[in-house]
Amino acid sequence: MTTSKQGTGCPDISVVVPVFNAACHLLATLRTVQQQTFSNWELIAVDDGSTDASADLLAEQARSDSRIRVLRQSNAGVSIARNRGVSACRAPLIAFLDADDLWHPDKLLAHVERHRVDVGMGVSFARVEFLTPAGRATGLVASHPKQPLRPADLLCENPTTTTSNWVLRREVFEAVGGFVEGMSYSEDLEWLLRVACDGRWRIEPIDRVLTYYRTSTGGLSSSLEKMEQGWLRLIGEARRYAPELVEAHFAAAQAVHLRYLTRRSLRLRGDPAQGVDFLVRALRSDAPRLLREPRRTAPTALAVLGRLLVHRARGLLPSPFSSAPLPHAEPPTRPSAVSRPDLPAPLVSVVMPLYNSAATVRASLESVLAQTYPNLEILVVDDGSTDDGPALCRSYDDLRLRIVQQKNRGLAGARNTGIRECCGSIVAFLDSDDLWLPEKIERHVEHLLTRPEVGVSYSCSAFIDAAGQPLGIFQTPALHHITPELILCRNPISNGSCVVLRREVLDGIRFEANLYGTPESYWFDDSFRQSEDIECWIRIALQTRWQIEGIGEALTLYRVTSGGLSANIEKQFASWQRVLDKTATYAPDFIARHGRRARGYQLRYLARRAIQERQPRVGVRLAHQAIATYPRLLLEEPFRTLITLAAGYLGLLLPAFLYSLLERFMMRVTGAMQRLRIGARARRLPDGRSGNGA
């Protein structure tokens, strides 16, 4: 068969692509369609209320390729998006493609040829190879049936793996109806089950790898329960049109589905107890069914039980036969959401960039190992160190610790590498000279579990000196109602070591680039060597719907080092100005409204830093520049602005010893006031209720 030519009238096949905040992978996905050897296709992209750059990318592609059409709707979920895309199709064949998956160049040609010669085949699907989150081939190919699918095959697992693997006749979709609206899990399996139960068409395999499925390490561990709920919804739907099928196969189907969830929990390195629970329930449902497949059941059981025993042996989890508290943790003085039996204990990935920090990394790493929250993995990213820091890290014998080495890419590049490698549904960052209090992660996990609308959780910070001794002063930023404007002007998140966030948040701002010779996923912008954190927080605030909220406890110890700042003032301000310039490319109105105010606040911040570094002349100049840039500083924050000016002039006029005495006195007064403020905040829960919560 020769390749069809573009422009022959009605397309032979319509490709439906639902899109929601997929800008980081979208171009690669669209390109994989444009590179098909079969060219007589149309593509209907349904933008499901994206808040990132997806809409602009789709519009640009539609302008350059007449075969691409774009539909837009408020966010309604993938099922409604696919249904709407099908309603706009013109071709007799339909293919689905998720916005982060890829196809072999012969994908459409192979399917079209099969459907042309076999009119009884209603749905065809090929073999699927798994990709890493960065899009690299893993060599792992999903198991693949040899025969047409039967209804019973579709009650437990999806033999087709993903809708990106399907090509179907439009008449089939019209006959059985669309995807069930409101279903976010197992909606594809339920649709296939309807086709199989109808009986008029076959669902046939093609024994060739034609689809590439991008896996994701983020968000799935917190979704395992939702996946089970979605499967139960499928069973409920099936009872309406195939009650006898459900009655005959429910126990076996449930056993296989729970075994599948057990394997998913292993891949995610989540709470081992959760995986054991899935496995025990699977055996209770239908042990003979599982034992008939020893090559799948036995390795799954050994892996999940072995992982649980390893964790117990290392004291990372309490025994189910004991009510003893967690290792290194005092008995809790208040109810903790982390220990609630109805909430899973998510895996937290701690990413620690390391570059020539041998003097401080041991203390930083030990502050992570001493955390009261046990379900951690620790990724130390050696960013081309030339000192003994990496060797010090390797000296720790802890299964939770991994060391990743790379050529120097800077702080942003090291964090990005850690994100690529991590497996947790929650990610925390710790610089290799800062420290955490032992309850740091436990407090943040509790915060995120009890506040599902919050995506980014951060804490107050206490300052320590180069030797690790407390300075008695704190960062006490705003904790609630964090807007993009507030981040731009005041950056309440303060420092990268105080942040703990959901992996789903990072996936919402992920983008693809080729900076080092290979296309990779990025979250922080590697081109920034300073201000990379605030640039990332602003993108989160502007491009996602997640709330950002703080905890009123000083859980992070932020190390202050002296020297070198005055020489870098211009570089710091230039790097911060780049944040404004980049933000203006995707949010010009936002920068037009708030850019001048933000420059004033940033100049005042740099003035205070210069004064702290015993550079009062630089500080006074910057303070005046801040007021000239944004005169309303004197109205909005008169006390802080005038104190900055006064400190600068006193530094110029007073003898050094007298100024030092005055500075120490003011630090003690400021620290006492800050401790009172932190104490008051710590007695309130995030929603404003009084109590001992964070």
Side-chain angles (χ1 to χ4, degrees):
M1 173 180 174
T2 58
T3 303
S4 297
K5 300 298 182 182
Q6 184 178 348
T8 58
C10 183
D12 290 312
I13 188 166
S14 299
V15 181
V16 175
V17 182
V19 178
F20 178 70
N21 288 352
C24 54
H25 298 307
L26 185 55
L27 288 180
T29 297
L30 296 178
R31 195 176 302 120
T32 203
V33 181
Q34 292 171 317
Q35 293 173 347
Q36 290 294 300
T37 56
F38 186 89
S39 60
N40 191 27
W41 49 262
E42 66 170 357
L43 187 147
I44 294 92
V46 183
D47 178 14
D48 189 34
S50 296
T51 57
D52 64 357
S54 296
D56 294 336
L57 292 174
L58 289 173
E60 180 181 351
Q61 292 301 305
R63 285 192 295 268
S64 62
D65 192 330
S66 61
R67 296 173 293 179
I68 298 176
R69 287 187 286 147
V70 181
L71 306 178
R72 292 188 174 87
Q73 64 183 32
S74 299
N75 181 250
V78 67
S79 293
I80 292 177
R82 289 190 185 120
N83 290 344
R84 187 178 180 198
V86 171
S87 69
C89 292
R90 297 182 296 149
L93 294 176
I94 297 170
F96 294 109
L97 178 59
D98 288 346
D100 56 352
D101 292 336
L102 303 174
W103 280 345
H104 187 281
D106 292 338
K107 167 74 176 179
L108 293 182
L109 178 61
H111 284 273
V112 169
E113 286 183 334
R114 284 289 299 273
H115 280 276
R116 281 180 175 171
V117 300
D118 189 347
V119 296
M121 183 170 62
V123 183
S124 59
F125 62 97
R127 297 182 72 90
V128 175
E129 180 176 349
F130 294 101
L131 305 178
T132 67
R136 298 191 185 96
T138 65
L140 299 175
V141 178
S143 57
H144 193 67
K146 302 297 183 183
Q147 304 296 327
L149 298 183
R150 303 166 301 169
D153 298 329
L154 297 163
L155 274 183
C156 47
E157 293 180 294
N158 187 350
T160 70
T161 305
T162 170
T163 51
S164 298
N165 196 25
W166 301 358
V167 170
L168 53 113
R169 297 187 186 276
R170 180 170 181 164
E171 62 182 293
V172 177
F173 198 89
E174 292 172 344
V176 304
F179 296 95
V180 175
E181 297 183 1
M183 282 190 72
S184 300
Y185 296 88
S186 298
E187 80 288 344
D188 49 355
L189 198 57
E190 192 279 331
W191 188 87
L192 287 174
L193 182 60
R194 261 183 285 147
V195 175
C197 289
D198 183 280
R200 284 179 283 177
W201 299 278
R202 299 189 312 279
I203 304 174
E204 289 263 5
I206 296 176
D207 192 13
R208 180 181 175 188
V209 173
L210 296 173
T211 303
Y212 302 99
Y213 177 75
R214 191 187 302 266
T215 58
S216 172
T217 56
L220 285 175
S221 62
S222 60
S223 298
L224 291 176
E225 287 77 14
K226 292 181 180 178
M227 292 174 72
E228 184 178 8
Q229 292 168 9
W231 179 82
L232 292 172
R233 173 77 183 275
L234 175 150
I235 293 298
E237 294 289 331
R239 288 187 193 278
R240 295 188 299 104
Y241 51 80
E244 295 180 356
L245 176 75
V246 173
E247 183 68 23
H249 298 283
F250 175 79
Q254 184 179 47
V256 173
H257 183 73
L258 289 170
R259 183 182 63 186
Y260 161 75
L261 292 179
T262 305
R263 295 201 306 274
R264 290 298 288 265
S265 73
L266 285 168
R267 293 179 197 142
L268 294 162
R269 297 188 183 179
D271 181 358
Q274 184 184 41
V276 171
D277 176 67
F278 285 136
L279 181 63
V280 169
R281 289 166 53 205
L283 292 169
R284 286 175 179 169
S285 183
D286 193 341
R289 171 66 175 80
L290 299 184
L291 295 176
R292 286 198 297 270
E293 294 181 343
R295 295 181 63 181
R296 304 191 76 184
T297 302
T300 301
L302 289 172
V304 73
L305 291 173
R307 188 164 184 270
L308 182 69
L309 290 173
V310 168
H311 274 243
R312 295 250 170 84
R314 300 196 61 83
L316 301 180
L317 288 174
S319 168
F321 310 110
S322 169
S323 59
L326 294 173
H328 313 298
E330 296 297 325
T333 59
R334 59 191 174 93
S336 171
V338 175
S339 62
R340 281 174 50 186
D342 59 324
L343 291 173
L347 176 68
V348 177
S349 297
V350 179
V351 175
M352 181 187 291
L354 174 65
Y355 179 72
N356 289 351
S357 300
T360 58
V361 68
R362 185 184 293 276
S364 298
L365 186 55
E366 288 180 354
S367 78
V368 182
L369 296 173
Q371 289 297 299
T372 58
Y373 185 84
N375 199 21
L376 301 173
E377 66 166 357
I378 308 162
L379 293 103
V380 174
V381 182
D382 174 17
D383 192 38
S385 296
T386 57
D387 65 0
D388 294 332
L392 289 173
C393 294
R394 282 192 289 270
S395 68
Y396 286 86
D397 182 20
D398 194 301
L399 291 177
R400 298 175 296 174
L401 175 63
R402 282 192 286 151
I403 300 174
V404 181
Q405 292 184 299
Q406 65 178 29
K407 294 181 179 179
N408 181 258
R409 292 187 175 187
L411 185 59
R415 286 179 180 152
N416 283 329
T417 296
I419 295 169
R420 291 187 200 102
E421 295 289 334
C422 72
C423 300
S425 60
I426 294 175
V427 181
F429 301 105
L430 177 63
D431 291 346
S432 55
D433 55 351
D434 296 333
L435 306 173
W436 284 343
L437 295 189
E439 63 271 21
K440 164 80 173 176
I441 295 300
E442 182 178 358
R443 292 286 191 268
H444 285 285
V445 171
E446 176 183 355
H447 187 198
L448 293 173
L449 288 180
T450 57
R451 301 275 286 170
E453 70 278 12
V454 173
V456 180
S457 175
Y458 61 94
S459 69
C460 300
S461 299
F463 289 100
I464 57 177
D465 63 17
Q469 298 302 309
L471 293 173
I473 55 175
F474 305 83
Q475 288 176 329
T476 57
L479 304 178
H480 308 288
H481 311 296
I482 308 302
T483 63
E485 177 189 357
L486 183 61
I487 295 174
L488 183 66
C489 295
R490 300 298 303 276
N491 188 19
I493 298 177
S494 305
N495 64 82
S497 295
C498 72
V499 177
V500 178
L501 72 169
R502 302 179 195 272
R503 177 61 188 256
E504 293 169 274
V505 175
L506 291 169
D507 288 341
I509 60 165
R510 180 175 52 192
F511 62 94
E512 289 276 320
N514 187 346
L515 301 182
Y516 305 100
T518 303
E520 292 180 298
S521 292
Y522 294 86
W523 299 266
F524 293 90
D525 190 333
D526 266 27
S527 67
F528 282 77
R529 289 300 174 115
Q530 291 177 309
S531 303
E532 77 293 329
D533 50 355
I534 189 172
E535 191 279 324
C536 182
W537 314 146
I538 290 173
R539 265 188 293 127
I540 290 173
L542 287 172
Q543 296 182 350
T544 77
R545 298 179 181 180
W546 291 102
Q547 290 185 22
I548 300 172
E549 192 170 83
I551 293 177
E553 299 179 61
L555 301 172
T556 302
L557 306 181
Y558 181 73
R559 194 182 301 267
V560 179
T561 56
S562 61
L565 180 117
S566 61
N568 291 323
I569 283 286
E570 296 300 328
K571 288 183 179 180
Q572 286 202 17
F573 188 71
S575 179
W576 182 86
Q577 180 63 47
R578 278 193 62 208
V579 174
L580 266 66
D581 295 340
K582 177 177 178 178
T583 307
T585 63
Y586 63 87
D589 293 342
F590 172 74
I591 295 300
R593 288 196 305 271
H594 305 298
R596 186 177 178 186
R597 180 172 184 246
R599 289 186 185 91
Y601 275 88
Q602 180 67 11
L603 287 165
R604 190 187 65 181
Y605 162 75
L606 292 175
R608 293 200 310 274
R609 291 294 303 271
I611 294 167
Q612 291 166 1
E613 291 287 329
R614 300 292 193 271
Q615 298 291 331
R617 193 174 303 279
V618 175
V620 168
R621 174 174 60 82
L622 290 171
H624 281 288
Q625 189 177 347
I627 295 170
T629 299
Y630 187 66
R632 288 184 61 84
L633 272 176
L634 290 168
L635 297 176
E636 293 179 2
E637 291 191 351
F639 181 76
R640 182 174 289 222
T641 304
L642 292 174
I643 285 292
T644 302
L645 276 171
Y649 278 111
L650 288 173
L652 287 174
L653 298 174
L654 293 178
F657 80 93
L658 187 58
Y659 182 83
S660 295
L661 287 174
L662 179 61
E663 183 182 48
R664 286 197 293 271
F665 173 74
M666 291 303 298
M667 284 180 64
R668 285 197 293 271
V669 171
T670 301
M673 294 174 63
Q674 289 174 333
R675 279 192 292 272
L676 289 174
R677 189 182 313 161
I678 289 174
R681 285 175 166 181
R683 289 189 292 272
R684 297 186 181 92
L685 294 173
D687 59 3
R689 294 176 289 124
S690 62
N692 295 325

